């Protein structure tokens, strides 16, 4: 019954989101105030003007929420209000899953979706074999073809699920395209149309793999059609290149050409599919402007725009990523929804409001209310973190993932009345320490001894002290006696035990026959 209640609560939470921001068509086209801001390729810092009116288009929403670092032209603000944009963000397949550092790209794409624009996710099946040097001190390890293809497939599925959930929500406005083939314009050939049709899409987003157009381009084609328009001096002036050239490792020619490869992606998408905006993290500014420059020089036409958003940083100023250890993966196969939820539930107070602005779609009014509530007497610690965890988990893992996280969170809370089952305990086994013991090693053994032999506590004296303090739990039930022994009925479903030292430290004990 408890699990059913939690799932029902999750469905209610999903269906009754309060004060979500989504524009109506009249909202998109109403008169507004414009602000001029641009950033040159040599600029590393930029100050955006403050907004004095309600956001009238997606660019102003991104700015208000701290999701706008720079734009290549002030015209993008007006174009975003008067035209249907096609906006792309690239994702390199360097792992089987995207991580928290990639989430901002998906969120910004989703914001464009919510204002009726088309989101385009480009998986770097070709560029991923080279590796983006931006922000890296060493060249990335080379991936074999099979690994790249597997990663591309996994990431494509992940992005499709996340963006697809939003677009299937009838509460959010989405303009409809009459025909998917319009993506290709008048110059598209049948092979390009087939490539589009094979991708996962609905009417508000499309997922592509840049290997589909790179696989037929020869080196001579690239040098003739792209290389002759690039200036080495400008390429060397890019921040990502300058840092690597000054390092001991240096920079390979392969990495040096990456900005042209990504620039050609934008050129190809602009020319053949009408994609007119590229977005990326602030470290992508050089790669994005390489694309807008190629479009201007080769096609001799304006109308291509770039937009960057700040990188998602921890409190200490370091990036979230997979190479720094302890990555927060977006795929449930690599990090359970429970663990994902728990990460946001435990973020520091200093970060929680900023994360609400950039990682959720709650209105700024509601975020302000939540922030003000934190300073009032009677505020329950981590209440705002709980809301953050619910919103981000719902966006990434959907209603079912949130229900799973809520169920596990409640069931695994020391002192909870929810009856544990083996499946729930096993569901967190990969996220907490665990061990395996034979049945006869566990039955009739003292809990104090077991808490030490499993590694939950360092000594018997520490275990006895914790019992006296009321902080040692067996299957979420507080243990009041130092003499407690494990009985047959304590072994959940005859398979597992859950030991807890306080609220956070747990140990899953698997019982083997």
């Amino acid at each position: 019954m408890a699990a059913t209640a939690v799932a029902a609560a999750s469905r209610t939470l999903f269906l009754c989101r309060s004060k979500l921001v989504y524009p109506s068509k009249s909202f998109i086209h109403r008169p507004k105030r414009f602000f001029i801001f641009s950033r040159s390729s040599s600029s590393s810092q930029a100050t955006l003007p403050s907004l004095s009116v309600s956001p009238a288009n997606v660019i102003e929403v991104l700015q208000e929420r701290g999701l706008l670092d720079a734009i290549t032209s002030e015209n993008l603000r007006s174009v975003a209000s008067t035209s249907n944009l096609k906006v792309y963000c690239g994702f390199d397949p360097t792992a089987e899953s995207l991580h928290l550092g990639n989430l901002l790209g998906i969120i910004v794409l989703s914001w464009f979706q919510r204002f009726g624009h088309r989101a385009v996710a480009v998986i770097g099946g070709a560029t991923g074999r080279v590796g983006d040097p931006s922000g890296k001190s060493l060249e990335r390890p080379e991936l074999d073809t099979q690994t790249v293809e597997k990663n591309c497939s996994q990431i494509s599925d992940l992005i499709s699920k996340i963006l697809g959930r939003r677009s299937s929500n009838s509460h959010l406005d989405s303009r409809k395209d009459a025909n998917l083939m319009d993506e290709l314009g008048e110059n598209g050939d049948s092979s390009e149309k087939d490539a589009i049709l094979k991708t996962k899409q609905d009417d508000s987003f499309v997922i592509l793999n840049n290997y589909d157009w790179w696989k037929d381009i020869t080196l001579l084609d690239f040098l003739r059609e792209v290389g002759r328009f690039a200036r080495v001096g400008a390429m060397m002036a890019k921040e990502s290149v300058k840092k690597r050239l000054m390092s001991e490792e240096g920079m390979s020619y392969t990495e040096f050409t990456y900005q042209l490869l990504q620039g050609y992606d934008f050129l190809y998408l602009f020319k053949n599919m009408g994609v007119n905006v590229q977005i990326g993290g602030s470290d992508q500014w050089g790669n994005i402007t390489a694309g807008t420059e190629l479009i201007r020089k080769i096609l001799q036409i304006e109308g291509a725009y770039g937009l960057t958003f700040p990188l998602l940083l921890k409190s200490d100023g370091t990036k979230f990523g997979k190479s720094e250890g302890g990555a927060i993966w977006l795929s449930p196969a690599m990090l359970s929804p429970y663990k994902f939820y728990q990460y946001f539930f435990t973020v520091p107070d200093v970060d929680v409001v900023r994360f609400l602005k950039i990682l959720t779609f709650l209105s700024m009014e509601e975020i302000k209310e939540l922030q003000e509530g934190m300073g009032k007497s009677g505020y329950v610690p981590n209440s705002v973190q709980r809301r953050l965890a619910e919103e981000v988990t719902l966006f990434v893992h959907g209603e079912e993932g949130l229900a799973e996280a809520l169920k596990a969170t409640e069931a695994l809370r020391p002192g909870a009345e929810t009856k544990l089952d083996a499946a729930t305990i096993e569901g967190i086994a990969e996220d907490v320490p665990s061990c395996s013991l034979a049945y006869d090693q566990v039955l009739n053994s003292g809990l104090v001894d077991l808490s030490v032999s499993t590694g939950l506590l360092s000594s018997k004296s520490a275990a006895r002290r914790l019992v006296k303090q009321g902080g040692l739990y067996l299957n979420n039930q507080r243990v009041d006696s130092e003499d407690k022994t494990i009985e047959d009925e304590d072994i959940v479903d005859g398979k597992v035990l859950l030991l807890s030292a306080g609220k956070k430290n747990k140990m899953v004990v698997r019982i083997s026959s």
Side-chain angles (χ1 to χ4, degrees), residues 97-101 314 320-330 334-335 339-340 343:
S97 170
L98 299 178
H99 52 76
L100 187 56
K314 303 175 185 177
F320 288 93
K322 58 185 175 301
S323 59
E324 287 77 15
I328 309 300
W329 299 104
L330 305 187
M334 298 184 69
L335 188 73
K339 193 69 172 180
F340 185 86
Y343 173 78

mmCIF file with all atom_site columns, all heavy atoms in Angstrom, residues 97-101 314 320-330 334-335 339-340 343:
data_model
loop_
_atom_site.group_PDB
_atom_site.id
_atom_site.type_symbol
_atom_site.label_atom_id
_atom_site.label_alt_id
_atom_site.label_comp_id
_atom_site.label_asym_id
_atom_site.label_entity_id
_atom_site.label_seq_id
_atom_site.pdbx_PDB_ins_code
_atom_site.Cartn_x
_atom_site.Cartn_y
_atom_site.Cartn_z
_atom_site.occupancy
_atom_site.B_iso_or_equiv
_atom_site.pdbx_formal_charge
_atom_site.auth_seq_id
_atom_site.auth_comp_id
_atom_site.auth_asym_id
_atom_site.auth_atom_id
_atom_site.pdbx_PDB_model_num
ATOM 1   N N   . SER A 1 97  ? 26.714 7.397  -21.677 1.00 0.00 ? 97  SER A N   1
ATOM 2   C CA  . SER A 1 97  ? 25.680 8.289  -21.166 1.00 0.00 ? 97  SER A CA  1
ATOM 3   C C   . SER A 1 97  ? 26.199 9.713  -21.126 1.00 0.00 ? 97  SER A C   1
ATOM 4   O O   . SER A 1 97  ? 27.410 9.950  -21.030 1.00 0.00 ? 97  SER A O   1
ATOM 5   C CB  . SER A 1 97  ? 25.255 7.849  -19.756 1.00 0.00 ? 97  SER A CB  1
ATOM 6   O OG  . SER A 1 97  ? 24.416 8.813  -19.145 1.00 0.00 ? 97  SER A OG  1
ATOM 7   N N   . LEU A 1 98  ? 25.296 10.662 -21.212 1.00 0.00 ? 98  LEU A N   1
ATOM 8   C CA  . LEU A 1 98  ? 25.623 12.037 -20.890 1.00 0.00 ? 98  LEU A CA  1
ATOM 9   C C   . LEU A 1 98  ? 25.662 12.172 -19.370 1.00 0.00 ? 98  LEU A C   1
ATOM 10  O O   . LEU A 1 98  ? 25.142 11.319 -18.656 1.00 0.00 ? 98  LEU A O   1
ATOM 11  C CB  . LEU A 1 98  ? 24.575 12.977 -21.477 1.00 0.00 ? 98  LEU A CB  1
ATOM 12  C CG  . LEU A 1 98  ? 24.418 12.952 -23.004 1.00 0.00 ? 98  LEU A CG  1
ATOM 13  C CD1 . LEU A 1 98  ? 23.303 13.890 -23.433 1.00 0.00 ? 98  LEU A CD1 1
ATOM 14  C CD2 . LEU A 1 98  ? 25.718 13.294 -23.704 1.00 0.00 ? 98  LEU A CD2 1
ATOM 15  N N   . HIS A 1 99  ? 26.262 13.250 -18.892 1.00 0.00 ? 99  HIS A N   1
ATOM 16  C CA  . HIS A 1 99  ? 26.358 13.470 -17.451 1.00 0.00 ? 99  HIS A CA  1
ATOM 17  C C   . HIS A 1 99  ? 25.769 14.834 -17.113 1.00 0.00 ? 99  HIS A C   1
ATOM 18  O O   . HIS A 1 99  ? 25.288 15.563 -17.997 1.00 0.00 ? 99  HIS A O   1
ATOM 19  C CB  . HIS A 1 99  ? 27.809 13.355 -16.976 1.00 0.00 ? 99  HIS A CB  1
ATOM 20  C CG  . HIS A 1 99  ? 28.763 14.218 -17.747 1.00 0.00 ? 99  HIS A CG  1
ATOM 21  N ND1 . HIS A 1 99  ? 28.846 15.578 -17.561 1.00 0.00 ? 99  HIS A ND1 1
ATOM 22  C CD2 . HIS A 1 99  ? 29.651 13.919 -18.726 1.00 0.00 ? 99  HIS A CD2 1
ATOM 23  C CE1 . HIS A 1 99  ? 29.755 16.088 -18.376 1.00 0.00 ? 99  HIS A CE1 1
ATOM 24  N NE2 . HIS A 1 99  ? 30.263 15.103 -19.094 1.00 0.00 ? 99  HIS A NE2 1
ATOM 25  N N   . LEU A 1 100 ? 25.808 15.175 -15.837 1.00 0.00 ? 100 LEU A N   1
ATOM 26  C CA  . LEU A 1 100 ? 25.170 16.400 -15.379 1.00 0.00 ? 100 LEU A CA  1
ATOM 27  C C   . LEU A 1 100 ? 25.710 17.630 -16.092 1.00 0.00 ? 100 LEU A C   1
ATOM 28  O O   . LEU A 1 100 ? 24.970 18.588 -16.332 1.00 0.00 ? 100 LEU A O   1
ATOM 29  C CB  . LEU A 1 100 ? 25.360 16.535 -13.857 1.00 0.00 ? 100 LEU A CB  1
ATOM 30  C CG  . LEU A 1 100 ? 24.602 17.679 -13.176 1.00 0.00 ? 100 LEU A CG  1
ATOM 31  C CD1 . LEU A 1 100 ? 23.112 17.584 -13.469 1.00 0.00 ? 100 LEU A CD1 1
ATOM 32  C CD2 . LEU A 1 100 ? 24.863 17.651 -11.679 1.00 0.00 ? 100 LEU A CD2 1
ATOM 33  N N   . GLY A 1 101 ? 26.985 17.618 -16.446 1.00 0.00 ? 101 GLY A N   1
ATOM 34  C CA  . GLY A 1 101 ? 27.548 18.753 -17.169 1.00 0.00 ? 101 GLY A CA  1
ATOM 35  C C   . GLY A 1 101 ? 26.904 18.965 -18.525 1.00 0.00 ? 101 GLY A C   1
ATOM 36  O O   . GLY A 1 101 ? 26.897 20.085 -19.055 1.00 0.00 ? 101 GLY A O   1
ATOM 37  N N   . LYS A 1 314 ? 30.448 23.424 -9.767  1.00 0.00 ? 314 LYS A N   1
ATOM 38  C CA  . LYS A 1 314 ? 30.227 23.116 -8.361  1.00 0.00 ? 314 LYS A CA  1
ATOM 39  C C   . LYS A 1 314 ? 30.546 24.356 -7.525  1.00 0.00 ? 314 LYS A C   1
ATOM 40  O O   . LYS A 1 314 ? 31.021 25.372 -8.038  1.00 0.00 ? 314 LYS A O   1
ATOM 41  C CB  . LYS A 1 314 ? 31.136 21.957 -7.932  1.00 0.00 ? 314 LYS A CB  1
ATOM 42  C CG  . LYS A 1 314 ? 30.957 20.689 -8.753  1.00 0.00 ? 314 LYS A CG  1
ATOM 43  C CD  . LYS A 1 314 ? 31.977 19.632 -8.345  1.00 0.00 ? 314 LYS A CD  1
ATOM 44  C CE  . LYS A 1 314 ? 31.896 18.405 -9.239  1.00 0.00 ? 314 LYS A CE  1
ATOM 45  N NZ  . LYS A 1 314 ? 32.925 17.392 -8.894  1.00 0.00 ? 314 LYS A NZ  1
ATOM 46  N N   . PHE A 1 320 ? 31.292 19.920 -13.595 1.00 0.00 ? 320 PHE A N   1
ATOM 47  C CA  . PHE A 1 320 ? 30.748 18.582 -13.489 1.00 0.00 ? 320 PHE A CA  1
ATOM 48  C C   . PHE A 1 320 ? 31.160 17.835 -14.749 1.00 0.00 ? 320 PHE A C   1
ATOM 49  O O   . PHE A 1 320 ? 31.025 18.342 -15.852 1.00 0.00 ? 320 PHE A O   1
ATOM 50  C CB  . PHE A 1 320 ? 29.221 18.605 -13.424 1.00 0.00 ? 320 PHE A CB  1
ATOM 51  C CG  . PHE A 1 320 ? 28.673 19.125 -12.135 1.00 0.00 ? 320 PHE A CG  1
ATOM 52  C CD1 . PHE A 1 320 ? 28.362 20.462 -11.987 1.00 0.00 ? 320 PHE A CD1 1
ATOM 53  C CD2 . PHE A 1 320 ? 28.458 18.272 -11.072 1.00 0.00 ? 320 PHE A CD2 1
ATOM 54  C CE1 . PHE A 1 320 ? 27.856 20.946 -10.798 1.00 0.00 ? 320 PHE A CE1 1
ATOM 55  C CE2 . PHE A 1 320 ? 27.954 18.747 -9.873  1.00 0.00 ? 320 PHE A CE2 1
ATOM 56  C CZ  . PHE A 1 320 ? 27.645 20.080 -9.742  1.00 0.00 ? 320 PHE A CZ  1
ATOM 57  N N   . GLY A 1 321 ? 31.668 16.625 -14.581 1.00 0.00 ? 321 GLY A N   1
ATOM 58  C CA  . GLY A 1 321 ? 32.059 15.852 -15.751 1.00 0.00 ? 321 GLY A CA  1
ATOM 59  C C   . GLY A 1 321 ? 32.336 14.429 -15.378 1.00 0.00 ? 321 GLY A C   1
ATOM 60  O O   . GLY A 1 321 ? 32.324 14.054 -14.213 1.00 0.00 ? 321 GLY A O   1
ATOM 61  N N   . LYS A 1 322 ? 32.584 13.612 -16.402 1.00 0.00 ? 322 LYS A N   1
ATOM 62  C CA  . LYS A 1 322 ? 32.792 12.189 -16.137 1.00 0.00 ? 322 LYS A CA  1
ATOM 63  C C   . LYS A 1 322 ? 34.244 11.880 -15.792 1.00 0.00 ? 322 LYS A C   1
ATOM 64  O O   . LYS A 1 322 ? 34.530 10.850 -15.215 1.00 0.00 ? 322 LYS A O   1
ATOM 65  C CB  . LYS A 1 322 ? 32.368 11.378 -17.356 1.00 0.00 ? 322 LYS A CB  1
ATOM 66  C CG  . LYS A 1 322 ? 33.113 11.743 -18.629 1.00 0.00 ? 322 LYS A CG  1
ATOM 67  C CD  . LYS A 1 322 ? 32.561 10.982 -19.797 1.00 0.00 ? 322 LYS A CD  1
ATOM 68  C CE  . LYS A 1 322 ? 33.210 11.430 -21.093 1.00 0.00 ? 322 LYS A CE  1
ATOM 69  N NZ  . LYS A 1 322 ? 33.025 12.847 -21.386 1.00 0.00 ? 322 LYS A NZ  1
ATOM 70  N N   . SER A 1 323 ? 35.167 12.788 -16.150 1.00 0.00 ? 323 SER A N   1
ATOM 71  C CA  . SER A 1 323 ? 36.584 12.493 -15.928 1.00 0.00 ? 323 SER A CA  1
ATOM 72  C C   . SER A 1 323 ? 37.074 12.952 -14.562 1.00 0.00 ? 323 SER A C   1
ATOM 73  O O   . SER A 1 323 ? 38.174 12.627 -14.172 1.00 0.00 ? 323 SER A O   1
ATOM 74  C CB  . SER A 1 323 ? 37.425 13.164 -17.029 1.00 0.00 ? 323 SER A CB  1
ATOM 75  O OG  . SER A 1 323 ? 37.215 14.560 -17.032 1.00 0.00 ? 323 SER A OG  1
ATOM 76  N N   . GLU A 1 324 ? 36.229 13.728 -13.862 1.00 0.00 ? 324 GLU A N   1
ATOM 77  C CA  . GLU A 1 324 ? 36.654 14.238 -12.566 1.00 0.00 ? 324 GLU A CA  1
ATOM 78  C C   . GLU A 1 324 ? 36.313 13.290 -11.429 1.00 0.00 ? 324 GLU A C   1
ATOM 79  O O   . GLU A 1 324 ? 36.618 13.550 -10.278 1.00 0.00 ? 324 GLU A O   1
ATOM 80  C CB  . GLU A 1 324 ? 36.000 15.604 -12.313 1.00 0.00 ? 324 GLU A CB  1
ATOM 81  C CG  . GLU A 1 324 ? 36.591 16.730 -13.162 1.00 0.00 ? 324 GLU A CG  1
ATOM 82  C CD  . GLU A 1 324 ? 36.114 16.694 -14.588 1.00 0.00 ? 324 GLU A CD  1
ATOM 83  O OE1 . GLU A 1 324 ? 35.122 15.980 -14.865 1.00 0.00 ? 324 GLU A OE1 1
ATOM 84  O OE2 . GLU A 1 324 ? 36.727 17.342 -15.432 1.00 0.00 ? 324 GLU A OE2 1
ATOM 85  N N   . GLY A 1 325 ? 35.641 12.194 -11.722 1.00 0.00 ? 325 GLY A N   1
ATOM 86  C CA  . GLY A 1 325 ? 35.287 11.207 -10.698 1.00 0.00 ? 325 GLY A CA  1
ATOM 87  C C   . GLY A 1 325 ? 33.933 11.502 -10.096 1.00 0.00 ? 325 GLY A C   1
ATOM 88  O O   . GLY A 1 325 ? 33.535 12.647 -9.922  1.00 0.00 ? 325 GLY A O   1
ATOM 89  N N   . GLY A 1 326 ? 33.214 10.440 -9.770  1.00 0.00 ? 326 GLY A N   1
ATOM 90  C CA  . GLY A 1 326 ? 31.907 10.606 -9.157  1.00 0.00 ? 326 GLY A CA  1
ATOM 91  C C   . GLY A 1 326 ? 30.911 11.298 -10.056 1.00 0.00 ? 326 GLY A C   1
ATOM 92  O O   . GLY A 1 326 ? 30.128 12.139 -9.608  1.00 0.00 ? 326 GLY A O   1
ATOM 93  N N   . ALA A 1 327 ? 30.918 10.987 -11.343 1.00 0.00 ? 327 ALA A N   1
ATOM 94  C CA  . ALA A 1 327 ? 30.050 11.662 -12.297 1.00 0.00 ? 327 ALA A CA  1
ATOM 95  C C   . ALA A 1 327 ? 28.581 11.402 -11.982 1.00 0.00 ? 327 ALA A C   1
ATOM 96  O O   . ALA A 1 327 ? 28.199 10.314 -11.559 1.00 0.00 ? 327 ALA A O   1
ATOM 97  C CB  . ALA A 1 327 ? 30.366 11.199 -13.720 1.00 0.00 ? 327 ALA A CB  1
ATOM 98  N N   . ILE A 1 328 ? 27.750 12.421 -12.194 1.00 0.00 ? 328 ILE A N   1
ATOM 99  C CA  . ILE A 1 328 ? 26.310 12.285 -12.062 1.00 0.00 ? 328 ILE A CA  1
ATOM 100 C C   . ILE A 1 328 ? 25.767 11.977 -13.451 1.00 0.00 ? 328 ILE A C   1
ATOM 101 O O   . ILE A 1 328 ? 25.481 12.858 -14.257 1.00 0.00 ? 328 ILE A O   1
ATOM 102 C CB  . ILE A 1 328 ? 25.673 13.570 -11.493 1.00 0.00 ? 328 ILE A CB  1
ATOM 103 C CG1 . ILE A 1 328 ? 26.395 14.011 -10.222 1.00 0.00 ? 328 ILE A CG1 1
ATOM 104 C CG2 . ILE A 1 328 ? 24.181 13.362 -11.236 1.00 0.00 ? 328 ILE A CG2 1
ATOM 105 C CD1 . ILE A 1 328 ? 26.369 12.982 -9.105  1.00 0.00 ? 328 ILE A CD1 1
ATOM 106 N N   . TRP A 1 329 ? 25.637 10.681 -13.751 1.00 0.00 ? 329 TRP A N   1
ATOM 107 C CA  . TRP A 1 329 ? 25.194 10.249 -15.074 1.00 0.00 ? 329 TRP A CA  1
ATOM 108 C C   . TRP A 1 329 ? 23.692 10.462 -15.231 1.00 0.00 ? 329 TRP A C   1
ATOM 109 O O   . TRP A 1 329 ? 22.927 10.370 -14.271 1.00 0.00 ? 329 TRP A O   1
ATOM 110 C CB  . TRP A 1 329 ? 25.527 8.778  -15.295 1.00 0.00 ? 329 TRP A CB  1
ATOM 111 C CG  . TRP A 1 329 ? 26.990 8.468  -15.240 1.00 0.00 ? 329 TRP A CG  1
ATOM 112 C CD1 . TRP A 1 329 ? 27.673 7.870  -14.223 1.00 0.00 ? 329 TRP A CD1 1
ATOM 113 C CD2 . TRP A 1 329 ? 27.965 8.748  -16.256 1.00 0.00 ? 329 TRP A CD2 1
ATOM 114 N NE1 . TRP A 1 329 ? 29.006 7.755  -14.528 1.00 0.00 ? 329 TRP A NE1 1
ATOM 115 C CE2 . TRP A 1 329 ? 29.211 8.285  -15.771 1.00 0.00 ? 329 TRP A CE2 1
ATOM 116 C CE3 . TRP A 1 329 ? 27.904 9.342  -17.519 1.00 0.00 ? 329 TRP A CE3 1
ATOM 117 C CZ2 . TRP A 1 329 ? 30.382 8.399  -16.512 1.00 0.00 ? 329 TRP A CZ2 1
ATOM 118 C CZ3 . TRP A 1 329 ? 29.078 9.451  -18.260 1.00 0.00 ? 329 TRP A CZ3 1
ATOM 119 C CH2 . TRP A 1 329 ? 30.292 8.983  -17.762 1.00 0.00 ? 329 TRP A CH2 1
ATOM 120 N N   . LEU A 1 330 ? 23.252 10.715 -16.459 1.00 0.00 ? 330 LEU A N   1
ATOM 121 C CA  . LEU A 1 330 ? 21.835 10.910 -16.736 1.00 0.00 ? 330 LEU A CA  1
ATOM 122 C C   . LEU A 1 330 ? 21.127 9.606  -17.067 1.00 0.00 ? 330 LEU A C   1
ATOM 123 O O   . LEU A 1 330 ? 19.894 9.528  -16.958 1.00 0.00 ? 330 LEU A O   1
ATOM 124 C CB  . LEU A 1 330 ? 21.647 11.901 -17.898 1.00 0.00 ? 330 LEU A CB  1
ATOM 125 C CG  . LEU A 1 330 ? 22.315 13.280 -17.747 1.00 0.00 ? 330 LEU A CG  1
ATOM 126 C CD1 . LEU A 1 330 ? 21.894 14.183 -18.900 1.00 0.00 ? 330 LEU A CD1 1
ATOM 127 C CD2 . LEU A 1 330 ? 21.984 13.916 -16.409 1.00 0.00 ? 330 LEU A CD2 1
ATOM 128 N N   . MET A 1 334 ? 23.400 3.752  -15.588 1.00 0.00 ? 334 MET A N   1
ATOM 129 C CA  . MET A 1 334 ? 24.694 4.073  -15.001 1.00 0.00 ? 334 MET A CA  1
ATOM 130 C C   . MET A 1 334 ? 24.579 4.760  -13.638 1.00 0.00 ? 334 MET A C   1
ATOM 131 O O   . MET A 1 334 ? 25.551 4.799  -12.889 1.00 0.00 ? 334 MET A O   1
ATOM 132 C CB  . MET A 1 334 ? 25.492 4.944  -15.972 1.00 0.00 ? 334 MET A CB  1
ATOM 133 C CG  . MET A 1 334 ? 25.783 4.254  -17.293 1.00 0.00 ? 334 MET A CG  1
ATOM 134 S SD  . MET A 1 334 ? 26.821 5.210  -18.426 1.00 0.00 ? 334 MET A SD  1
ATOM 135 C CE  . MET A 1 334 ? 28.404 5.170  -17.576 1.00 0.00 ? 334 MET A CE  1
ATOM 136 N N   . LEU A 1 335 ? 23.417 5.306  -13.343 1.00 0.00 ? 335 LEU A N   1
ATOM 137 C CA  . LEU A 1 335 ? 23.157 5.901  -12.034 1.00 0.00 ? 335 LEU A CA  1
ATOM 138 C C   . LEU A 1 335 ? 21.651 5.818  -11.801 1.00 0.00 ? 335 LEU A C   1
ATOM 139 O O   . LEU A 1 335 ? 20.872 6.340  -12.590 1.00 0.00 ? 335 LEU A O   1
ATOM 140 C CB  . LEU A 1 335 ? 23.619 7.359  -11.989 1.00 0.00 ? 335 LEU A CB  1
ATOM 141 C CG  . LEU A 1 335 ? 23.572 8.013  -10.607 1.00 0.00 ? 335 LEU A CG  1
ATOM 142 C CD1 . LEU A 1 335 ? 24.687 7.464  -9.715  1.00 0.00 ? 335 LEU A CD1 1
ATOM 143 C CD2 . LEU A 1 335 ? 23.693 9.530  -10.718 1.00 0.00 ? 335 LEU A CD2 1
ATOM 144 N N   . LYS A 1 339 ? 19.673 7.399  -6.677  1.00 0.00 ? 339 LYS A N   1
ATOM 145 C CA  . LYS A 1 339 ? 20.941 8.068  -6.411  1.00 0.00 ? 339 LYS A CA  1
ATOM 146 C C   . LYS A 1 339 ? 20.960 9.466  -7.037  1.00 0.00 ? 339 LYS A C   1
ATOM 147 O O   . LYS A 1 339 ? 21.485 10.424 -6.441  1.00 0.00 ? 339 LYS A O   1
ATOM 148 C CB  . LYS A 1 339 ? 22.099 7.231  -6.971  1.00 0.00 ? 339 LYS A CB  1
ATOM 149 C CG  . LYS A 1 339 ? 23.475 7.673  -6.491  1.00 0.00 ? 339 LYS A CG  1
ATOM 150 C CD  . LYS A 1 339 ? 23.673 7.383  -5.022  1.00 0.00 ? 339 LYS A CD  1
ATOM 151 C CE  . LYS A 1 339 ? 25.104 7.650  -4.581  1.00 0.00 ? 339 LYS A CE  1
ATOM 152 N NZ  . LYS A 1 339 ? 25.327 7.374  -3.157  1.00 0.00 ? 339 LYS A NZ  1
ATOM 153 N N   . PHE A 1 340 ? 20.400 9.591  -8.217  1.00 0.00 ? 340 PHE A N   1
ATOM 154 C CA  . PHE A 1 340 ? 20.298 10.879 -8.902  1.00 0.00 ? 340 PHE A CA  1
ATOM 155 C C   . PHE A 1 340 ? 19.495 11.857 -8.036  1.00 0.00 ? 340 PHE A C   1
ATOM 156 O O   . PHE A 1 340 ? 19.906 12.997 -7.809  1.00 0.00 ? 340 PHE A O   1
ATOM 157 C CB  . PHE A 1 340 ? 19.623 10.672 -10.259 1.00 0.00 ? 340 PHE A CB  1
ATOM 158 C CG  . PHE A 1 340 ? 19.566 11.894 -11.131 1.00 0.00 ? 340 PHE A CG  1
ATOM 159 C CD1 . PHE A 1 340 ? 20.627 12.229 -11.952 1.00 0.00 ? 340 PHE A CD1 1
ATOM 160 C CD2 . PHE A 1 340 ? 18.429 12.702 -11.144 1.00 0.00 ? 340 PHE A CD2 1
ATOM 161 C CE1 . PHE A 1 340 ? 20.575 13.354 -12.769 1.00 0.00 ? 340 PHE A CE1 1
ATOM 162 C CE2 . PHE A 1 340 ? 18.367 13.833 -11.954 1.00 0.00 ? 340 PHE A CE2 1
ATOM 163 C CZ  . PHE A 1 340 ? 19.436 14.153 -12.765 1.00 0.00 ? 340 PHE A CZ  1
ATOM 164 N N   . TYR A 1 343 ? 21.371 13.030 -4.928  1.00 0.00 ? 343 TYR A N   1
ATOM 165 C CA  . TYR A 1 343 ? 22.402 14.035 -5.159  1.00 0.00 ? 343 TYR A CA  1
ATOM 166 C C   . TYR A 1 343 ? 21.813 15.437 -5.005  1.00 0.00 ? 343 TYR A C   1
ATOM 167 O O   . TYR A 1 343 ? 22.378 16.301 -4.318  1.00 0.00 ? 343 TYR A O   1
ATOM 168 C CB  . TYR A 1 343 ? 23.032 13.884 -6.549  1.00 0.00 ? 343 TYR A CB  1
ATOM 169 C CG  . TYR A 1 343 ? 23.967 15.024 -6.841  1.00 0.00 ? 343 TYR A CG  1
ATOM 170 C CD1 . TYR A 1 343 ? 25.243 15.061 -6.307  1.00 0.00 ? 343 TYR A CD1 1
ATOM 171 C CD2 . TYR A 1 343 ? 23.529 16.116 -7.593  1.00 0.00 ? 343 TYR A CD2 1
ATOM 172 C CE1 . TYR A 1 343 ? 26.083 16.144 -6.517  1.00 0.00 ? 343 TYR A CE1 1
ATOM 173 C CE2 . TYR A 1 343 ? 24.359 17.206 -7.811  1.00 0.00 ? 343 TYR A CE2 1
ATOM 174 C CZ  . TYR A 1 343 ? 25.634 17.213 -7.264  1.00 0.00 ? 343 TYR A CZ  1
ATOM 175 O OH  . TYR A 1 343 ? 26.454 18.297 -7.466  1.00 0.00 ? 343 TYR A OH  1
#
